[in-house]
Amino acid sequence: MKIYRKALIWALSILLCALGVTSLSGCGDSSAKSSSGGKSNSAAATEDEAKAADGLADLGIDPGKVGVFPNVRHDQKNSAGFQLEQPKDGDAIAVIHTGMGDITLRFFPDQAPKAVTNFINLAKSGSYNKTSFHKVIADFAVQGGHCGSADNNPSGTSSYGGVFEDEFCDSLLNLRGAVSMASNSKDSNGSQFLITQTSAEAFKKSGGWTALSKNWDDMKEQLKSYKDSNLLSAFLDENGDRLLNTSAVPESVKKLYEEHGGNPTLDGAYNASDRGCTVFAQVISGMDVVDKIAATKTDKKNVPLERVQINSVEVTAYSANSVTEPAKK
């Protein structure tokens, strides 16, 4: 997946890790379109998204003229960080049964309805059974859930039969333990998902917000050099996922990443060109299993040397008596 690959390259370069990262499975044609005909009508434009898109406007670039039309869902009920709370009794959850143990997720259907429905439908149909975590990056994320032909559907086949649009929300972040859609490009979600594994310590070692702010400053200089060129659109297509507008990120959000870790470069709500990975769930139990998977030895393409299999995914109802491990660890 393009956006995962490039965010990964950025993170690893900050860590000075010469791992020779190559294309992740799921990278392909960036011209993929949404099978549902565009953005969800219920996702209204907000002040937060305008601030992110203004990163282009402030440089004299008209976002609309380069195909940037942000449509971030503004959550007026929940503040950023609510994803770390436990669900209520009776809420739908999923248990991913892997060869290394179980990982339990809570869903966010109000914020990412299509992504949640997609995952649940695939789980109930058995489509995730016997798939694997096929890409593993310690201190970044584990990626799995590919269904269908990799040649025809690089992001995997969704329950809708084709790709579907991003659902960015200002209250859902790619914090440690977040489960998000692994997409090939903008609005190209399929079946693949990734679980963020970056700890607070790893985030700090990568340079944290200081490094991210410097990256935004560097990208702004490059945008200035391209803004009057007919290559601007091509530059945005290639580098749009690196345009995290740190000036638009609230201090409360920055603090959450500093305390819990995660990958803010994947947050579409704060990306100047409307790129990112849709968060639709959060691990509430089994982060120790995610850490084990992340520690798996891999080849140079970050493919586990020994298969990490998803045996099955069970969708059930949450009970406080059955899940006791804190989500924040």
Side-chain angles (χ1 to χ4, degrees), residues 40 46 51 144 199 212 277 304 311:
S40 170
T46 71
K51 289 180 180 177
S199 65
L212 288 166
C277 294
N311 297 324

Side-chain angles (χ1 to χ4, degrees), residues 168-189:
F168 302 140
C169 177
D170 59 3
S171 67
L172 286 180
L173 310 170
N174 282 276
L175 296 169
R176 173 174 163 84
V179 187
S180 57
M181 295 304 303
S183 59
N184 176 46
S185 59
K186 180 176 171 61
D187 295 334
S188 62
N189 302 297

Side-chain angles (χ1 to χ4, degrees), residues 100-129:
M100 292 188 173
D102 292 348
I103 304 168
T104 304
L105 321 174
R106 66 168 297 193
F107 296 114
F108 306 110
D110 292 337
Q111 292 77 15
K114 292 203 72 171
V116 170
T117 299
N118 176 63
F119 185 94
I120 290 177
N121 285 345
L122 290 172
K124 287 184 174 181
S125 68
S127 298
Y128 284 133
N129 295 358

Side-chain angles (χ1 to χ4, degrees), residues 83-98:
Q83 67 195 82
L84 300 174
E85 301 168 359
Q86 295 291 91
K88 298 177 181 179
D89 281 356
D91 285 352
I93 61 173
V95 183
I96 304 176
H97 300 292
T98 80

Side-chain angles (χ1 to χ4, degrees), residues 37-57:
K39 297 282 187 178
S40 170
N41 292 330
S42 61
T46 71
E47 181 181 357
D48 287 334
E49 66 166 328
K51 289 180 180 177
D54 279 352
L56 296 180

Side-chain angles (χ1 to χ4, degrees), residues 86 112 119 139 143 167-169 195 210 277 301 311 328:
Q86 295 291 91
F119 185 94
D139 293 327
Q143 180 178 341
E167 297 176 298
F168 302 140
C169 177
I195 303 176
T210 299
C277 294
K301 294 183 178 181
N311 297 324
K328 298 179 183 179

